[in-house]
Amino acid sequence: MPRRIRSLLSTLREEVQHYAAETQAIAGRTNLLALNATIEAARSGEAGRGFSVVAQEVKALAGQARTSAATFRAEVLDRLALGARIAEELVGEVEGARLAELAQSIMQTISRAIHDRSIDLRMMASDPAVVTGVAHGLTDDEAAAGALERLRALLRFSPYFLNAFLCDDQGRVVVSAHENAQVRHHNFKGEPQYTRTLSSTVADEWFTDEPWENPFSGDRQVLIFVAPVRRNGRVIGACYLEYDWQGQIGAIIGGEQPGGATITIIDERNQIFASTGAHEFGSMLAIGALPEDSYRSVETRDESVVAQAMAMPVHGFDGLRLRCVIEQRVPGERELAAAVRG
C-alpha cells in the first residue's frame, strides 16, 4: 500500500505540473491578445478608448492568472513531494519491519536447530557403548561393534546427520557409521576441532565452527559437531556428528518467498553459507554490519528493501553469530505509475 501511495503522489505531481503549465500558457496567450487589443484601441482613437480599458483589465487578469498558476504549482508540488517522502519512509518501515521480523525468526529457528543437535551429540558422547568403543574399539571387536550399533541407530532414527564417527586420543578413527566413508582413513591429530576437544576441561562441552563443503562427503555442505568422550573424568577421544547443513538449512529457508525475496545466511565476515538466490556458497555478500547492540536492521535501497537479523541467544548459544539477510525487490516508479494508471 505505501508503494501505491508513493506512485499515486508521483502521478499527481506530474499532472499538476502539466495543468499548471497549460494554465500559464493560456495566461500568456491571453496577455498577448490584450496587448494586441490595446494596440488596436489606440489606432481607433476616441472610439476605441472604452475597448482599451477592457483590454487593460484583461491584461491584468492574465497576469494574475499566471502568478496564481505559478504559486499553485510551487505550493502543491512541494506538498506532493513531502507526501512522497513520507510514503517512501512508510515503505521502509512497513516492509522493512516485516522482513526484519522474518529474518530474525529464521535465524532463531536455525540457532535452535544447531543447539538441539548439540544435545544429540553430548548424549551420544556419554553413551556407555560409545565410551567403551573409544577406549577399546581398535583392539576389541565386540567393543567396536557396540559403539558402531549406537552410531548407526542415531543415523537411522535421525534425519539430521550424514555420518557419525569416533576418534581415540591419538586421532585415529575407531568406528564410523558409514563403512565406506573416506573419513575412516584420516587421522585427526592436530586438527583444530580435535585439539580443542582433547583439551576440554568443561563438563558437557561441545564444539562446532562453520559450515563447509566436506570432501569426505562428496563436497556436501555440512556442519561438524564434536564433543569429548570422557572416561573416569579424563578425555579419551572425540565423538563426531556430521550435520547435513545443506539439506536441513535448505529446508528452513527454502520454498517460494513472497515477492520473490532472496534469503541468505552469512557470518560476521559476510561469507555466504546458504541462499535461496544466485549467491554462491563461500562467496561474499555486500552488506554492512548490524548496528552495535542490535539484533536487526533495515536498509531501503532504490528498488529494494534489505533486512538482516541474528538470533537471540538460545541457552547461552549465540547461533555462531550467523545472520539472515532478506533482499526484497520493490517495484520502481515506472512500474508503480503504470499500475496506478492502468
Side-chain angles (χ1 to χ4, degrees), residues 279-330:
H279 302 308
E280 292 185 3
F281 185 92
S283 62
M284 306 300 288
L285 186 68
I287 190 171
L290 281 172
E292 191 174 352
D293 300 325
S294 175
Y295 288 92
R296 300 182 186 179
S297 74
V298 176
E299 178 185 352
T300 303
R301 299 178 180 174
D302 289 342
E303 292 190 0
S304 66
V305 177
V306 181
Q308 61 171 314
M310 60 187 301
M312 302 285 285
V314 177
H315 303 294
F317 175 59
D318 64 3
L320 302 179
R321 298 194 63 79
L322 297 175
R323 287 175 286 155
C324 176
V325 178
I326 302 181
E327 301 166 89
Q328 172 72 70
R329 182 185 176 277
V330 295

Side-chain angles (χ1 to χ4, degrees), residues 195-265:
T195 301
R196 281 189 297 166
T197 302
L198 267 287
S199 302
S200 173
T201 58
V202 179
D204 298 326
E205 195 168 20
W206 62 283
F207 303 95
T208 189
D209 42 27
E210 62 182 30
W212 64 304
E213 293 178 322
N214 188 358
F216 295 134
S217 296
D219 291 326
R220 183 82 171 173
Q221 296 158 16
V222 304
L223 191 64
I224 301 296
F225 290 83
V226 190
V229 177
R230 288 183 167 87
R231 189 179 194 187
N232 299 324
R234 185 176 68 86
V235 178
I236 62 170
C239 177
Y240 282 80
L241 296 183
E242 185 179 351
Y243 179 69
D244 182 14
W245 173 271
Q246 186 171 331
Q248 297 303 317
I249 303 307
I252 292 174
I253 69 174
E256 185 175 350
Q257 300 300 323
T262 296
I263 299 176
T264 304
I265 307 300

Side-chain angles (χ1 to χ4, degrees), residues 12-334:
L12 288 174
R13 186 167 65 246
E14 292 174 3
E15 291 179 352
V16 166
Q17 287 177 320
H18 173 72
Y19 290 124
E22 280 194 347
T23 301
Q24 283 189 310
I26 291 171
R29 289 196 297 272
T30 303
N31 183 64
L32 183 61
L33 288 173
L35 179 61
N36 290 334
T38 301
I39 293 171
E40 292 300 322
R43 288 176 179 173
S44 301
E46 188 66 27
R49 183 177 298 173
F51 189 65
S52 177
V53 173
V54 174
Q56 290 298 324
E57 289 297 324
V58 171
K59 181 178 180 180
L61 286 173
Q64 291 175 12
R66 186 162 48 196
T67 301
S68 177
T71 302
F72 171 78
R73 181 169 63 178
E75 292 183 353
V76 172
L77 287 179
D78 186 54
R79 284 166 173 74
L80 287 174
L82 175 61
R85 288 196 298 272
I86 293 173
E88 188 69 33
E89 291 175 2
L90 283 173
V91 170
E93 291 175 3
V94 174
E95 298 194 8
R98 176 181 63 84
L99 293 178
E101 184 176 351
L102 175 60
Q104 188 164 42
S105 175
I106 290 172
M107 269 317 309
Q108 211 67 45
T109 300
I110 292 175
S111 185
R112 187 171 296 280
I114 295 174
H115 181 270
D116 287 351
R117 301 294 70 77
S118 79
I119 297 173
D120 299 337
L121 169 73
R122 286 173 284 177
M123 290 183 65
M124 187 60 58
S126 61
D127 185 277
V130 167
V131 174
T132 301
V134 171
H136 306 292
L138 289 178
T139 57
D140 186 332
D141 291 343
E142 187 175 344
L148 183 59
E149 175 55 33
R150 296 299 299 138
L151 297 185
R152 287 181 173 171
L154 173 66
L155 265 60
R156 189 166 61 250
F157 299 140
S158 172
Y160 306 114
F161 303 110
L162 298 173
N163 195 14
F165 57 93
L166 307 173
C167 292
D168 65 10
D169 59 2
Q170 298 302 309
R172 299 170 297 186
V173 176
V174 178
V175 292
S176 172
H178 286 176
E179 290 183 357
N180 297 324
Q182 296 179 27
V183 73
R184 294 174 61 248
H185 308 293
H186 183 75
N187 190 297
F188 283 80
K189 194 167 187 177
E191 298 282 2
Q193 275 194 340
Y194 177 83
T195 301
R196 281 189 297 166
T197 302
L198 267 287
S199 302
S200 173
T201 58
V202 179
D204 298 326
E205 195 168 20
W206 62 283
F207 303 95
T208 189
D209 42 27
E210 62 182 30
W212 64 304
E213 293 178 322
N214 188 358
F216 295 134
S217 296
D219 291 326
R220 183 82 171 173
Q221 296 158 16
V222 304
L223 191 64
I224 301 296
F225 290 83
V226 190
V229 177
R230 288 183 167 87
R231 189 179 194 187
N232 299 324
R234 185 176 68 86
V235 178
I236 62 170
C239 177
Y240 282 80
L241 296 183
E242 185 179 351
Y243 179 69
D244 182 14
W245 173 271
Q246 186 171 331
Q248 297 303 317
I249 303 307
I252 292 174
I253 69 174
E256 185 175 350
Q257 300 300 323
T262 296
I263 299 176
T264 304
I265 307 300
I266 61 176
D267 67 0
E268 292 182 288
R269 300 166 297 170
N270 294 351
Q271 186 173 4
I272 296 170
F273 291 124
S275 180
T276 61
H279 302 308
E280 292 185 3
F281 185 92
S283 62
M284 306 300 288
L285 186 68
I287 190 171
L290 281 172
E292 191 174 352
D293 300 325
S294 175
Y295 288 92
R296 300 182 186 179
S297 74
V298 176
E299 178 185 352
T300 303
R301 299 178 180 174
D302 289 342
E303 292 190 0
S304 66
V305 177
V306 181
Q308 61 171 314
M310 60 187 301
M312 302 285 285
V314 177
H315 303 294
F317 175 59
D318 64 3
L320 302 179
R321 298 194 63 79
L322 297 175
R323 287 175 286 155
C324 176
V325 178
I326 302 181
E327 301 166 89
Q328 172 72 70
R329 182 185 176 277
V330 295
E333 295 289 347
R334 290 184 179 179

